[in-house]
Amino acid sequence: MEAEIVLASSPTDAGISCWDLHSGAEHLRHRTCSATPHGLVSVANNFLASSQLRDSKNAAGSIFYWSWNKPQVEVKSFPSEVINPLVANSEGTYIIGGGVSGHLFLWEVATGKLLKKWHAHYRAVTCLVFGDDQSLLISGAEDGCVRIWSLISIFDDMRREKSKHLYEYSFSDHSLKVTDIVTGYGGCNAIIVSASEDRTCKVWSISKGKCIRNIVFPSVIDAVAMDPGEHVFYAGARNGKIYIAALNAQCPPTKNYALHIIGSLSERSKAITCLASSMDGIHLVSGSEDGMIRVWDTTKRNIIRIFRHAKGPINNILILRQPPHLNPSSTSGQSSSAKKHGYPLPPPLGKYTDSSDENTEIKAFIGSRTPNYVQDASYRSSWTMMNQIKELRQQGSSAASELEMERLKFDSSRSMQMIQQWKKKYENLYQYCVGELLEREQVENVQKRQK
């Protein structure tokens, strides 16, 4: 059984709690976190990031970073506005945040540069999720809309100039604020389930571009989680119940439930605020306003474990594979410096875009899987590594030489990456020129025949 951990956060300054899903053992608790709903994310399992609730003294937003082996905040970023939901791609190369103005912000993690900012919704963004193939971004907002974005199209300047809008689809069937979104497998053929304050959950087909199922619940739904087999999904309601709804089968209404609702999980609790499903789908973890995290056995429909957060209601639940940096005893394959210090965190996120920096470098990360050395290099920028080398030298530590070697490897990897990017650009330019010449020759031949 693969080790999994449960992370929980609160809107109050109660930090981030961490437990082993199967044993119940508590791990390191991270301090100073007042997370926004859907604002807690693990960046490629290398470090934690969370958007913070606005301080009454500060009108701007803030995003904090924590490493796995230190309880205190290590990196603080201050975007130009308050960020609500936060999401990172599986490779950890970029982070996207949804603002209260309805804008979406896309940062490159390794450099902290704000690469793109675009208007996505008419009101504050509330939810952000990636499709399973990482090519699509799905957003929900207070305006009741669910929109699907192709990241490749976002960086396509020609399409942006020609199109009236950037999104692939805009679903506006919800009459009130979208509270949660979950997506299935299949890329552009996947389904999406969205929840709203209008007491409905809607199932959308990306390939068809329309709603294929509408389910009305007895209470407002604030959280949804999907069974990995995509047979059912779970809907956490404000009345304290977790409803089970069918995704495919036709289920007529009964005396207890409405159309397509086939059962519920219920324990005397306050409103359910967040849900997460384990990788095998057997365990479902729920967070609620009473500050309790309950682990459910979905096969028996009973509670098998309860965790308690420090204080305040729960507003984020994550289930992750246990990171190798969480427990130093499990990292025997790493160098001594990596064990002690973990991986250096990237620099803070930038506040404003710089048009001169919006080049094709990011396109190398979108639409194709990044090589392994790029994934490691993203968190080992020369800037952070040089600072750490200086600290280790001042302490007289022998780990400085080991980290210096890693920095040289990083620089070499970045150089190789740039060479590959320039080779790709040359190939694209060559193919474009050849295509233009052949097309011009064909046009000239046709004109000669016509004469």
Side-chain angles (χ1 to χ4, degrees), residues 178-225:
V178 177
T179 54
D180 201 3
I181 295 173
V182 65
T183 180
Y185 298 99
C188 60
N189 294 311
I191 61 170
I192 299 168
V193 179
S194 61
S196 169
E197 287 186 346
D198 62 10
R199 294 195 301 115
T200 70
C201 282
K202 300 183 189 296
V203 183
W204 312 90
S205 168
I206 297 179
S207 60
K208 296 178 181 178
K210 66 178 183 179
C211 180
I212 57 176
R213 179 159 292 189
N214 181 55
I215 305 173
V216 182
F217 290 87
S219 178
V220 172
I221 302 298
D222 284 315
V224 287

Side-chain angles (χ1 to χ4, degrees), residues 65-83:
Y65 289 169
W66 296 261
S67 63
W68 285 108
N69 54 3
K70 293 181 181 179
Q72 67 271 18
V73 177
E74 293 195 62
V75 177
K76 295 183 178 181
S77 304
F78 300 96
S80 58
E81 67 176 81
V82 175
I83 302 297

Side-chain angles (χ1 to χ4, degrees), residues 28-31 48 65-74 325-326 340-345 388 391:
L28 183 69
R29 185 177 295 236
H30 297 82
R31 305 186 196 125
L48 292 173
Y65 289 169
W66 296 261
S67 63
W68 285 108
N69 54 3
K70 293 181 181 179
Q72 67 271 18
V73 177
E74 293 195 62
H325 328 308
L326 185 62
K340 183 177 180 181
H341 299 283
Y343 289 105
L345 296 186
Q388 199 163 37
E391 291 180 10

Side-chain angles (χ1 to χ4, degrees), residues 16 23 59 106 118 147 164 212 214-215 217 305 355 435 450:
I16 303 169
S23 70
L106 189 150
W118 70 96
R147 287 181 170 167
K164 295 180 180 180
I212 57 176
N214 181 55
I215 305 173
F217 290 87
R305 188 169 287 113
S355 58
Q450 289 176 348

